[in-house]
Amino acid sequence: MNPKVDQYLLDGCGRCKLGGTPQCKVRKWPEELDELRRIVLECGLDEELKWGVPCYTSQNRNILIVSALKEYCSLAFFKGVLLKDSEGILSAPGENSQSTRLIRFTNVSQILKLEPILKTYIREAIEIEKNGLKPDFKTTLEYPEELVQVFDEYPALETAFKALTPGRQRAYILYFSAPKQLKTRLSRIEKYMQQIMNGKGMFD
């Protein structure tokens, strides 16, 4: 067990002022998170803390995360779209999610009832990563006009952007395209230029 995850279970992710208080989302699901953690570790994954949440890896490659939200806690597979999902329990976290799939929980009994199935899914996810399988990402998103203009001014940025994984590119494009105001779109691009040049995604 990673002591950083122990601290997460006590104080939350640290991204808001509610950390460590009764209102913290992590504090709402203590028993559920403990059970999910136990199940994942029993499958032989390594435990880390990434993006402020428990992340479980195999041979230094991300397999899944355990997280807490206001309405539920969840087990989310990075390449969940490749899982067979014979039980039909996986769902996409958002309408633009191409790869990640998660399972939502609202009580301990749900988790315990699904434990054998969860372990089957986790072991399948480990094999998917071990075999180097990758989701078939859609590439239909168009670059926002502002990003194209910046690419024209900084060709090296375009090269670095196109070297990112499709998932990282997609996350940036969605984020850059969201604001209605031109000024906001440009400021978002400028903010992440160096991150892109460093070969990193928004959440790396």
Side-chain angles (χ1 to χ4, degrees):
M1 290 187 176
N2 191 315
K4 291 182 179 179
V5 175
D6 292 333
Q7 199 64 44
Y8 163 85
L9 294 172
L10 290 173
D11 298 333
C13 64
R15 291 195 292 257
C16 75
K17 61 183 180 181
L18 297 178
T21 72
Q23 291 74 38
C24 175
K25 289 178 288 187
V26 175
R27 299 290 287 272
K28 184 176 181 179
W29 312 103
E31 296 179 16
E32 289 81 3
L33 293 173
D34 280 342
E35 290 297 341
L36 289 174
R37 184 187 194 189
R38 174 187 62 78
I39 289 169
V40 172
L41 289 175
E42 286 179 359
C43 291
L45 290 174
D46 297 317
E47 187 174 62
E48 303 180 37
L49 192 71
K50 295 184 179 183
W51 314 290
V53 298
C55 178
Y56 296 87
T57 65
S58 177
Q59 297 181 342
N60 296 317
R61 301 184 68 86
N62 298 328
I63 304 297
L64 61 88
I65 61 173
V66 170
S67 58
L69 289 89
K70 184 177 180 180
E71 302 298 330
Y72 60 85
C73 60
S74 69
L75 194 67
F77 297 90
F78 285 94
K79 295 182 179 179
V81 72
L82 297 180
L83 293 171
K84 296 172 184 174
D85 192 20
S86 58
E87 303 297 321
I89 56 176
L90 295 176
S91 61
E95 61 179 326
N96 294 309
S97 301
Q98 293 198 62
S99 181
T100 302
R101 295 293 182 270
L102 57 78
I103 308 170
R104 295 176 171 88
F105 304 97
T106 56
N107 58 67
V108 172
S109 61
Q110 287 178 319
I111 296 171
L112 296 179
K113 182 178 180 180
L114 286 174
E115 180 172 345
I117 296 169
L118 296 179
K119 288 183 175 179
T120 297
Y121 278 41
I122 293 169
R123 293 184 181 111
E124 183 185 351
I126 294 171
E127 285 302 307
I128 286 171
E129 193 60 52
K130 182 179 178 180
N131 293 327
L133 301 181
K134 296 181 180 181
D136 182 19
F137 288 103
K138 296 178 182 178
T139 57
T140 55
L141 282 181
E142 295 183 5
Y143 294 164
E145 184 177 344
E146 295 77 20
L147 184 59
V148 174
Q149 292 173 355
V150 173
F151 283 165
D152 288 342
E153 188 175 352
Y154 302 98
L157 181 68
E158 181 176 10
T159 300
F161 187 86
K162 290 183 176 179
L164 297 172
T165 62
R168 289 184 173 90
Q169 291 185 38
R170 183 179 177 84
Y172 276 126
I173 290 171
L174 290 171
Y175 181 69
F176 295 157
S177 302
K180 294 181 178 180
Q181 294 188 0
L182 170 64
K183 181 179 179 180
T184 306
R185 292 197 296 271
L186 286 172
S187 67
R188 287 189 174 191
I189 293 171
E190 291 171 1
K191 178 181 177 181
Y192 281 97
M193 284 177 64
Q194 190 57 55
Q195 184 114 333
I196 294 170
M197 292 297 293
N198 292 338
K200 295 182 177 181
M202 288 182 60
F203 310 109
D204 291 340

